[in-house]
Amino acid sequence: MENLIGLLVAAPLLGAAVLLCGGRRLDRTGHWIGCAMATVSFVIGAVLFAHMLGLGGEERTLGQHLFSWIPVGGFQADVAFRLDQLSMTFVLLITGVGSLIHFYSIGYMEHDERRRRFFGYLNLFLAAMLLLVLADNYLLLYVGWEGVGLASYLLIGFWQHKPSAATAAKKAFLVNRVGDMGLSIAIMIMFVTFGTFAFEPVLASVGATGEGTVTAIGLMLLLGACGKSAQVPLQSWLGDAMEGPTPVSALIHAATMVTAGVYLITRSGAIFNAAPDAQLAVVTVGAVTLLFGAIVGCAKDDIKKALAASTMSQIGYMMLAAGLGPIGYAFAIMHLITHGFFKAGLFLGAGSVMHGMNDEVDMRKYGALRTYMPITFVTFGLGYLAIIGFPGLSGFFSKDKIIEAAFAKGGTEGWILGGAALLGAAITAYYMTRVMLLTFFGEKRWQPAPDPDKVPSVEPGIEVHPGEMPHPHEAPKSMTIPMILLAFGSVFAGGLFSINDAFVNWLKPVTEFEHGHSPLSAATVTSATVVVLLVGVALAWAQYGRAPVPVTAPRGSLLTRAARRDLLQDDFNHVALVKPGEYLTRGLVYLDHSLVDGVVNGTAASVGGLSGRLRKVQNGFARSYAVSMFGGAAVLIAATLLVRAV
């Protein structure tokens, strides 16, 4: 069975190669090839999962060594895979949800002329993400990490004719390079310290290493995770990434890219357990980001950007749980999986709404869509109930456990983290209820379609005639069936995972697990979570459900205006990074022109001037040469006589 592990990566990688290199002859069938390769990878994952279930707990780690990648002296890097309970969980999520997104894209991208290339990029994305989670060493993980970055750049900027999409792709690429630098430095420190990159020897040796070194590794790993998972302070790219096609948003935000940072922290749990300062940094980043994203989500009128802010916040919950150590690792991954279902369903539902609304993304121009798009309404509604933690649905089980674990941290820190998690739950209920009310309830606020020549944000392939009113309708089956399947996961996954602590026991051999000692009982935490949920829903209903919604957003308070601008994150980056970078660049250019070029050009001018003067001596007259020879001889004789006299 171990020989099948490599095929998990090979199938979508082959699909990407065929679709990107096969040319236009595959335009009619390329999307089916992409879907087939994703499905093959999922089937292989399911087979391996069934095989793993038949093994004992200690035998469930499978490995496959393909070849020695870089064997140079003491430097040994292998291309080898490790399939254990943690990586298997990600494999099923990536290939399962990823395959549904592939099938959804058949209908969504039906009229796009470059659909074959789009499916090639989707396959490339899956292959890179699978390589990341299956690698048995940090260096190979880094290859998959960079592959995900490349694929995200290609997909976010897929409609590169739109300046906003091209800019968003570059922004995502550059911000992630900052995080990638942290990961690369961590890997370098590992090799210098441990002499290897492989997970087992590195994680087994951290206990015998100085805390300062382990802390440095942990902080650099956290920097890498912040970039990939859009956590503070490297979160600015996520909202702009919505410029890509909606299936890309679902793939990046639900099953692949943004979950990579949580995987990295959890996989490296032994490092953070041995470095309390780095672990504190992780939990702080998670707590700040879950509130940051939730506040931003309250002020967004763009449905996709509201969901993007939600992703940032939910990943913050996962990072908070991962920062709690053994009492939180399993719950971080549990919430990651349930989030994969309901967030993918929410994004695909948003794409269905856009499909029926002339690609309009402004929720203030929606309203009353529940009667026109019943399947989208029900599936999106179930995802909404799951994400706010409605009792009995997936998000309730996973998020509730994270809040319990936060309080179980103990002391003042536990109260602060638990309070932040509860506050985030209330704000989540508020902004997601706002999304539901603006989109599916109230009066129709539809507006005529814009002129595509004047508004270049219209997605290719969607028939738009200037001045035409939207005629909302249900999406085709290729789009609704994946939404229905994801809705089942949104409803049932969390409950199934919680039966007899099945999910915690599944991950325990890899992530370890400790029961925290919370000052509050589980029933108290659950009751508090439900109460704040209801408060958030009630506030949203009072503001958006009972009163007419203006098509143009009011100016709002100072906090609202700041939230519309992503809490000034781009402004901060501009002042703290861009402007100093410009001044530094100008200074270096001036130094280069005035000093470096001055020395080089001055030397050249001196040589040129001296050459010009010497050239005058070569005049072609014999008498001049004779005088020169006589003068030279006289100088030599005089010098010789002077030396002898001395």
Side-chain angles (χ1 to χ4, degrees):
M1 280 293 180
E2 288 83 352
N3 294 331
L4 294 178
I5 300 175
L7 296 179
L8 289 167
V9 180
L13 188 61
L14 175 62
V18 170
L19 292 174
L20 296 177
C21 300
R24 299 189 64 85
R25 66 178 65 90
L26 296 178
D27 282 354
R28 293 186 177 181
T29 57
H31 52 287
W32 291 115
I33 295 175
C35 291
M37 292 298 101
T39 305
V40 166
S41 189
F42 173 70
V43 171
I44 295 172
V47 170
L48 288 169
F49 176 64
H51 173 70
M52 187 177 288
L53 289 177
L55 302 175
E58 300 299 326
E59 300 175 343
R60 286 178 174 173
T61 298
L62 308 177
Q64 182 182 16
H65 181 277
L66 295 184
F67 57 89
S68 294
W69 179 17
I70 312 175
V72 180
F75 185 94
Q76 179 72 31
D78 296 328
V79 174
F81 298 130
R82 175 189 179 90
L83 185 66
D84 55 19
Q85 290 91 327
L86 179 61
S87 52
M88 173 56 75
T89 301
F90 275 84
V91 165
L92 294 177
L93 174 68
I94 294 165
T95 58
V97 176
S99 296
L100 292 177
I101 294 172
H102 274 69
F103 283 105
Y104 175 94
S105 301
I106 294 175
Y108 193 87
M109 302 293 290
E110 181 179 3
H111 301 291
D112 196 293
E113 295 180 353
R114 301 170 65 236
R115 182 167 64 166
R116 169 185 54 82
R117 183 176 296 272
F118 179 78
F119 277 86
Y121 292 160
L122 289 183
N123 272 197
L124 180 63
F125 206 123
L126 288 191
M129 191 66 193
L130 287 168
L131 178 62
L132 189 160
V133 300
L134 288 171
D136 87 327
N137 62 79
Y138 283 98
L139 191 60
L140 189 60
L141 178 150
Y142 188 77
V143 175
W145 193 272
E146 292 301 313
V148 169
L150 170 62
S152 67
Y153 170 79
L154 296 172
L155 286 168
I156 294 170
F158 183 74
W159 289 322
Q160 67 266 27
H161 65 281
K162 296 165 51 179
S164 56
T167 301
K170 289 186 290 185
K171 184 177 182 180
F173 192 83
L174 291 174
V175 173
N176 272 274
R177 296 294 74 73
V178 178
D180 295 351
M181 183 62 68
L183 179 57
S184 64
I185 292 173
I187 295 173
M188 295 175 195
I189 299 175
M190 287 178 193
F191 183 75
V192 172
T193 305
F194 306 112
T196 181
F197 309 106
F199 291 144
E200 285 192 3
V202 168
L203 300 179
S205 303
V206 293
T209 307
E211 185 175 319
T213 301
V214 180
T215 299
I217 295 173
L219 292 176
M220 290 298 100
L221 290 175
L222 174 60
L223 181 60
C226 286
K228 215 52 121 197
S229 293
Q231 299 292 283
V232 171
L234 300 179
Q235 78 284 13
S236 62
W237 65 271
L238 195 65
D240 295 289
M242 297 302 96
E243 290 293 336
T246 300
V248 174
S249 304
L251 191 65
I252 289 177
H253 288 237
T256 53
M257 185 170 177
V258 294
T259 63
V262 181
Y263 170 80
L264 179 66
I265 299 296
T266 306
R267 174 63 76 185
S268 308
I271 294 175
F272 291 94
N273 294 341
D277 291 338
Q279 197 170 64
L280 177 62
V282 174
V283 79
T284 302
V285 165
V288 171
T289 307
L290 76 87
L291 293 175
F292 187 104
I295 293 171
V296 170
C298 293
K300 292 297 184 181
D301 292 328
D302 183 318
I303 187 171
K304 289 174 66 177
K305 290 191 176 183
L307 294 178
S310 169
T311 296
M312 188 190 308
S313 179
Q314 297 304 308
I315 299 293
Y317 272 103
M318 302 171 205
M319 294 292 283
L320 185 153
L324 296 174
I327 66 175
Y329 289 135
F331 301 136
I333 303 302
M334 181 177 174
H335 192 54
L336 187 152
I337 300 302
T338 59
H339 177 266
F341 285 112
F342 58 69
K343 183 51 63 68
L346 288 169
F347 267 112
L348 297 189
S352 178
V353 169
M354 292 166 59
H355 182 81
M357 291 293 292
N358 291 342
D359 193 38
E360 180 62 67
V361 295
D362 188 347
M363 293 183 292
R364 291 183 177 272
K365 299 177 182 178
Y366 291 165
L369 292 180
R370 66 186 185 280
T371 58
Y372 298 88
M373 311 175 72
I375 297 177
T376 300
F377 168 64
V378 172
T379 56
F380 193 98
L382 291 173
Y384 151 74
L385 292 174
I387 194 173
I388 68 173
F390 190 83
L393 275 73
S394 292
F396 168 78
F397 293 98
S398 56
K399 190 187 295 184
D400 194 65
K401 290 295 185 182
I402 292 177
I403 297 174
E404 286 182 29
F407 280 110
K409 183 69 175 177
T412 304
E413 184 181 348
W415 284 103
I416 293 174
L417 295 176
L422 274 178
L423 179 59
I427 302 175
T428 300
Y430 170 82
Y431 72 74
M432 286 305 303
T433 302
R434 175 178 180 268
V435 171
M436 280 296 297
L437 294 174
L438 288 176
T439 303
F440 295 102
F441 292 89
E443 300 295 328
K444 296 187 294 185
R445 301 179 299 277
W446 308 342
Q447 298 292 309
D451 186 342
D453 295 328
K454 296 180 180 179
V455 185
S457 63
V458 175
E459 296 188 0
I462 295 181
E463 296 289 340
V464 175
H465 303 287
E468 179 186 19
M469 291 296 291
H471 51 287
H473 55 281
E474 196 58 84
K477 289 184 178 180
S478 62
M479 297 170 63
T480 56
I481 291 176
M483 292 159 54
I484 293 171
L485 294 176
L486 290 169
F488 274 98
S490 301
V491 174
F492 298 111
L496 292 175
F497 293 161
S498 299
I499 297 175
N500 297 324
D501 291 328
F503 195 81
V504 171
N505 294 330
W506 166 258
L507 288 180
K508 191 173 182 179
V510 181
T511 62
E512 302 180 354
F513 180 71
E514 295 179 5
H515 286 284
H517 302 287
S518 174
L520 302 176
S521 66
T524 301
V525 173
T526 299
S527 299
T529 304
V530 173
V531 168
V532 299
L533 180 157
L534 295 176
V535 170
V537 171
L539 288 174
W541 173 257
Q543 187 171 357
Y544 296 98
R546 298 180 61 186
V549 178
V551 175
T552 302
R555 190 165 184 265
S557 65
L558 180 62
L559 178 60
T560 300
R561 297 197 299 273
R564 286 175 185 154
R565 298 178 61 181
D566 301 327
L567 291 180
L568 309 180
Q569 56 184 335
D570 284 333
D571 302 80
F572 174 80
N573 290 341
H574 188 76
V575 172
L577 302 174
V578 176
K579 296 303 292 185
E582 289 180 355
Y583 292 137
L584 176 62
T585 302
R586 291 172 185 171
L588 292 175
V589 169
Y590 176 79
L591 182 66
D592 180 62
H593 287 170
S594 61
L595 181 61
V596 178
D597 287 354
V599 172
V600 173
N601 295 335
T603 302
S606 300
V607 173
L610 179 61
S611 300
R613 289 174 175 79
L614 291 175
R615 191 162 53 246
K616 294 179 180 180
V617 178
Q618 301 293 329
N619 54 19
F621 295 108
R623 58 180 180 272
S624 298
Y625 299 157
V627 171
S628 300
M629 294 170 63
F630 178 76
V635 170
L636 290 175
I637 292 172
T640 302
L641 293 175
L642 180 62
V643 170
R644 288 183 176 181
V646 173

